[in-house]
Amino acid sequence: MSIIVFGSINIDLVATAPKLPIAGETLLGEDFFKVPGGKGANQAVAVAKLGVPTQMVGRVGAHGFGTELMENLQNAGVRTDNIFVDETTSSGVAMITVAHDGENQIVVIPGANGRVNQSDVERLSHILPTATALLLQLEIPVPAVIAAAQAARSKNITVILDPAPALSDLPAELYPLVDIITPNEVEAGQLVGFPVDGEDTALKAARALLQKGVKSAIVKLGAKGVVCATDKDTFFVPAFFVDTVDTVAAGDAFNGGLATALYSGLSLHQAVVWGAAAGALAATKLGAQTSLPDKLTLEAFLKERGL
């Protein structure tokens, strides 16, 4: 059995600078590098590096970065049989600025990701019987996300949705198809219509998401921890304090750790701890997929903290 990720595949063009620019400001940057990214591909690599069989379904362009992106996924141990090479467009690109404090700004050009459609969902449907969970994000068209969630639901496969980039008008029909939703505080606020800035408002937001139909709502608060709510329980997991370098893929690492723990038979509470630990480790390194921890690193990190 495997975990399947249905979503975006990008190349990340990353610039580092002392701070993030404000509107109209030109800054002198420090470094530039190019790394594979995309929230879908990041989560697939996150799961694969933690030792779980992983399959990716999505699209890349036929030219430019497409071959590089496919090879990178394969080298990470992700099966790419069901990634479609689209001859009509380029691969997705993310332009990222990272400041000294680890905060970032990202502009995404969807490219092939924006062409994901029902034909991709059909390829996904053929392999769903081999899966225990389906990981989704919102960097591909929402109709395809909904169709993928419906296909997984019809086969009783756990659906984990990272609602990023967040949409305030996310269709109501998607929520009841989701077993676990994992917004950060900004995304949670956009989904529920009020600011989320701490544990109390995160819990309020999580309960609002439950009312929309999801089974479990996890709100990530960065250095302030993680709040989780189900119809039976609520709990808080403190953050792991680390020296933050770059938070770009911390959320993807979280979902990778969460899904891996659930795949391994751990409880939701334990899975949130794994997710928080994986996210913390990812924040200690530059880049997206280059920052994702492997199984030995995550297990050592948890053991050092008595977990």
Side-chain angles (χ1 to χ4, degrees), residues 8 39-40 43 136-140 161-167 170 181-184 187 190-191 220 252:
S8 57
K39 294 196 71 65
Q43 292 180 18
L136 300 169
Q137 319 79 37
L138 299 178
E139 286 184 339
I140 58 175
L161 173 65
D162 183 355
L167 301 172
L170 193 64
I181 193 168
T182 63
N184 63 25
E187 294 152 0
Q190 290 174 299
L191 292 174
K220 299 171 290 189
D252 300 323

Side-chain angles (χ1 to χ4, degrees), residues 103-117:
E103 290 302 310
N104 62 78
Q105 291 176 336
I106 305 175
V107 176
V108 177
I109 298 90
N113 299 310
R115 306 287 182 90
V116 173
N117 59 33

